[in-house]
């Protein structure tokens, strides 16, 4: 029987949601049905709700919603109302399960799980590791329980889970070891659901087995991360203890010398928490360009006129990504493909081209025409004689969350 799964992905002031109808057969045939997708933004302020039902035009409206539980309540009410017009959902009881994107699963969670009291406690125990994210996930889980009842099965899908097998030599920092023991300070990695989804799609496209999947995945969106995938699982990834480490992102610096924290704090009269916030919210593309975190706007600017800082922001972004490809090639002893995903990776031929420029030495030859025409769709963008291929594969974290939800509830293993 098809299950209507409500997928919730909560940020501090936004709540993204999708309603996906699926079951084991639909998953097998890649025919899951997306009934609705939407987003509640600026929760607590001038709330904006955006929803798209099936293929219908997007609807945008404003609603007084005070907090995250209020947003969940609104979504459930709206989905089951006549106004939404979703034939499959006539009343709240037609929502059969909820799947939550949970940011931090710590060292505990290596895969998605059905939520019970113990799981919820363990997610709460990870709050120290993700103080900005996990509390919102917990609020959403509790809100669903209150609104749809404790019998409704709920599943947690962790951003960190796919990276769980990364070996010690790649996940430990060269810090005094007791800090790892006492505070669990290590690399966890994030965007795991996205890296996992595109690895699975790569296997389908390239007709490979999991065992035979040796690739580098680049998730380039507002947040950016790279993963080295060997025999189907990550052996390294660029985000660390938090999502701050690694690639240059929209507003995050990625890698910096840790000594700059104290220097900035001293010179600018900031607390270390304020410096951390500066590295997370005022750096990256925004910080270098002084203009915006939006790659599309930066590229448009550069097309219209020369602006040194805009050019530098784009160059530093592409250079860092290329450097990680090189590092992971060395770590893995070579790879069969590089996979681009995320808003920038899926849509920007220019950035993909810049990152792949000069990688011919190890056999990756981009076909400029294929690269240019590949926007937001699954495609190989390298020449047929390329030894190492590059693919564009749009990510779909919500789809994977809905599939894991069904599989966990039915007690099926997770093949993708
Ligand atoms: P999030 O990480 O918030 O989910 P996305 O994956 O949607 O973000 O990626 C957002 C980024 O993708 C923005 O920097 C945006 O400018 C960029 N982007 C989207 N479309 C294009 C495009 N056609 N060209 C360049 N960048 C694009």
């Amino acid at each position: 029987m098809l299950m209507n799964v409500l997928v919730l992905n909560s940020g501090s002031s936004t709540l993204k949601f999708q309603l996906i109808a699926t079951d084991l057969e639909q998953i097998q045939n890649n025919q899951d049905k997306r009934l609705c997708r939407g987003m509640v933004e600026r929760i607590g302020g001038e709330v904006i709700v955006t929803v798209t039902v099936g293929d219908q035009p997007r609807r945008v409206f404003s609603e007084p919603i005070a907090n995250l539980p209020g947003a969940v309540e609104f979504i459930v009410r709206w989905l089951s109302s006549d106004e939404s017009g979703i034939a499959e959902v006539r009343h709240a009881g037609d929502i059969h399960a909820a799947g939550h994107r949970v940011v931090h699963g710590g060292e505990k969670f290596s895969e998605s799980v059905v939520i019970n009291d113990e799981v919820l406690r363990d997610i709460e125990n990870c709050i120290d590791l993700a103080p900005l994210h996990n509390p919102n996930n917990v609020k959403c889980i509790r809100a669903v329980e209150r609104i749809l009842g404790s019998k409704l099965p709920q599943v947690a899908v962790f951003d960190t889970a796919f990276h769980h097998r990364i070996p010690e030599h790649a996940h430990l920092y060269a810090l005094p070891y007791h800090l790892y023991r006492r505070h669990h300070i290590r690399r966890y990695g994030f965007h795991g659901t996205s890296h996992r989804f595109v690895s699975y799609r790569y296997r389908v496209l390239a007709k490979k087995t999991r065992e035979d999947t040796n690739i580098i995945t680049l998730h380039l969106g507002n947040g950016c991360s790279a993963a080295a995938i060997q025999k189907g699982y990550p052996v390294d990834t660029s985000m660390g203890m938090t999502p701050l480490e690694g690639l240059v992102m929209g507003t995050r610096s990625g890698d910096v010398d840790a000594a700059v924290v104290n220097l900035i704090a001293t010179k600018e009269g900031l607390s270390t928490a304020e410096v951390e916030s500066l590295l997370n919210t005022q750096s990256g593309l925004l910080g270098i360009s002084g203009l915006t975190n939006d790659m599309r706007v930066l590229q448009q600017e550069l097309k219209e006129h020369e602006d040194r800082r805009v050019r530098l922001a784009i160059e530093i972004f592409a250079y860092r990504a290329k450097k990680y490809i090189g590092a992971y090639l060395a770590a893995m002893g070579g790879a069969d493909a590089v996979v681009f995903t995320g808003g920038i990776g899926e849509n920007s031929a220019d950035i993909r081209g810049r990152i792949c420029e000069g990688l011919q030495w190890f056999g990756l030859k981009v076909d400029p025409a294929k690269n240019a025409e590949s926007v937001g769709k699954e495609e190989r963008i390298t020449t047929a004689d390329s030894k190492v291929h590059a693919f564009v594969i749009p990510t779909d974290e919500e789809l994977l969350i809905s599939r894991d939800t069904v599989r966990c509830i039915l007690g099926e293993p997770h093949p993708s």
Side-chain angles (χ1 to χ4, degrees), residues 88-155:
E88 289 83 351
V89 182
R90 293 270 171 230
H91 51 85
D94 289 332
I95 298 172
H96 303 125
H100 298 263
R101 171 189 176 221
V102 178
V103 170
H104 219 305
E107 295 195 303
K108 172 94 189 173
F109 295 104
S110 56
E111 54 183 30
S112 307
V113 287
V114 175
I115 299 169
N116 56 26
D117 288 346
E118 193 189 334
V119 168
L120 199 54
R121 246 195 328 273
D122 286 331
I123 295 173
E124 282 175 328
N125 286 339
C126 294
I127 282 179
D128 274 354
L129 296 172
L132 298 179
H133 296 100
N134 276 30
N136 291 324
N137 301 142
V138 171
K139 276 185 206 159
C140 266
I141 294 166
R142 290 200 192 283
V144 170
E145 184 177 0
R146 187 173 50 76
I147 297 158
L148 289 168
S150 58
K151 293 237 160 51
L152 187 93
Q154 299 199 62
V155 169

Side-chain angles (χ1 to χ4, degrees), residues 297-314:
V297 174
L298 292 176
Q299 293 193 298
Q300 195 54 39
E301 280 287 316
L302 205 56
K303 241 188 235 158
E304 285 164 14
H305 56 91
E306 163 62 16
D307 180 319
R308 183 172 165 274
R309 281 174 55 184
V310 168
R311 182 166 45 74
L312 269 177
I314 295 173

Side-chain angles (χ1 to χ4, degrees), residues 286-342:
L286 170 66
I288 304 165
S289 71
L291 189 68
T292 174
N293 62 330
D294 192 322
M295 181 60 94
R296 204 169 1 188
V297 174
L298 292 176
Q299 293 193 298
Q300 195 54 39
E301 280 287 316
L302 205 56
K303 241 188 235 158
E304 285 164 14
H305 56 91
E306 163 62 16
D307 180 319
R308 183 172 165 274
R309 281 174 55 184
V310 168
R311 182 166 45 74
L312 269 177
I314 295 173
E315 284 173 1
I316 296 171
F317 180 94
Y319 175 71
R320 181 85 53 87
K322 189 201 296 275
K323 204 158 88 165
Y324 266 89
I325 292 178
Y328 288 167
L329 282 172
M332 297 164 72
D336 294 328
V338 174
V339 173
F340 289 93
T341 194

Side-chain angles (χ1 to χ4, degrees), residues 98 123 151 167 205 211 240 255 267 293 323 398 402:
I123 295 173
K151 293 237 160 51
L205 289 175
E211 186 63 15
D255 297 335
K267 299 273 184 199
N293 62 330
K323 204 158 88 165
E398 284 78 9
S402 71

Side-chain angles (χ1 to χ4, degrees), residues 35-267:
L35 303 176
C36 178
R37 66 171 89 201
M39 175 141 77
V40 183
E41 286 172 281
R42 301 190 209 156
I43 296 167
E46 272 287 296
V47 178
I48 298 173
V49 183
T50 314
V51 280
T52 308
V53 174
D55 301 329
Q56 294 169 21
R58 206 162 64 132
R59 286 181 252 179
V60 183
F61 44 92
S62 171
E63 278 291 320
I65 298 172
N67 50 31
L68 210 46
V72 177
E73 197 161 350
F74 172 81
I75 290 167
V76 170
R77 208 167 0 100
W78 191 86
L79 288 173
S80 45
S81 70
D82 289 345
E83 194 189 335
S84 76
I86 302 171
E88 289 83 351
V89 182
R90 293 270 171 230
H91 51 85
D94 289 332
I95 298 172
H96 303 125
H100 298 263
R101 171 189 176 221
V102 178
V103 170
H104 219 305
E107 295 195 303
K108 172 94 189 173
F109 295 104
S110 56
E111 54 183 30
S112 307
V113 287
V114 175
I115 299 169
N116 56 26
D117 288 346
E118 193 189 334
V119 168
L120 199 54
R121 246 195 328 273
D122 286 331
I123 295 173
E124 282 175 328
N125 286 339
C126 294
I127 282 179
D128 274 354
L129 296 172
L132 298 179
H133 296 100
N134 276 30
N136 291 324
N137 301 142
V138 171
K139 276 185 206 159
C140 266
I141 294 166
R142 290 200 192 283
V144 170
E145 184 177 0
R146 187 173 50 76
I147 297 158
L148 289 168
S150 58
K151 293 237 160 51
L152 187 93
Q154 299 199 62
V155 169
V157 180
F158 301 92
D159 240 32
T160 47
F162 189 48
H163 301 302
H164 206 257
R165 296 176 179 212
I166 292 177
E168 276 179 324
H169 67 258
H171 79 228
L172 284 178
Y173 293 119
L175 294 169
Y177 192 76
H178 69 264
L179 293 175
Y180 165 62
R181 280 230 194 89
R182 277 189 209 157
H183 310 296
H184 310 285
I185 296 172
R186 52 161 280 188
R187 174 183 314 288
Y188 290 95
F190 298 86
H191 287 151
T193 313
S194 176
H195 290 291
R196 185 177 143 216
F197 182 79
V198 299
S199 305
Y200 142 72
R201 288 305 305 165
Y202 165 80
R203 290 207 300 274
V204 174
L205 289 175
K207 302 192 170 54
K208 297 269 188 185
T209 61
R210 183 196 294 277
E211 186 63 15
D212 221 11
T213 299
N214 299 301
I215 57 176
I216 295 167
T217 48
L218 294 175
H219 177 108
L220 309 177
N222 239 323
C224 300
S225 66
I229 314 250
Q230 199 166 39
K231 298 187 176 176
Y233 290 99
V235 290
D236 206 347
T237 191
S238 59
M239 283 179 166
M241 162 90 189
T242 76
L244 180 55
E245 196 181 343
L247 304 182
V248 175
M249 317 183 203
T251 62
R252 294 191 193 116
S253 60
D255 297 335
V256 290
D257 181 341
V260 304
V261 174
N262 186 41
L263 190 129
I264 297 171
T266 310
K267 299 273 184 199

Side-chain angles (χ1 to χ4, degrees), residues 1-47:
M1 189 197 86
L2 277 184
M3 278 173 113
N4 298 325
V5 181
L6 175 61
V7 177
L8 294 173
N9 178 355
S10 56
S12 54
S13 63
T14 55
L15 178 59
K16 291 189 199 162
F17 65 94
Q18 292 202 11
L19 188 67
I20 298 176
T22 189
D23 63 10
L24 295 178
E25 200 183 323
Q26 309 290 319
I27 295 172
Q28 182 71 28
N29 299 328
N30 201 26
Q31 282 180 341
D32 325 64
K33 194 168 170 200
R34 206 174 314 255
L35 303 176
C36 178
R37 66 171 89 201
M39 175 141 77
V40 183
E41 286 172 281
R42 301 190 209 156
I43 296 167
E46 272 287 296
V47 178

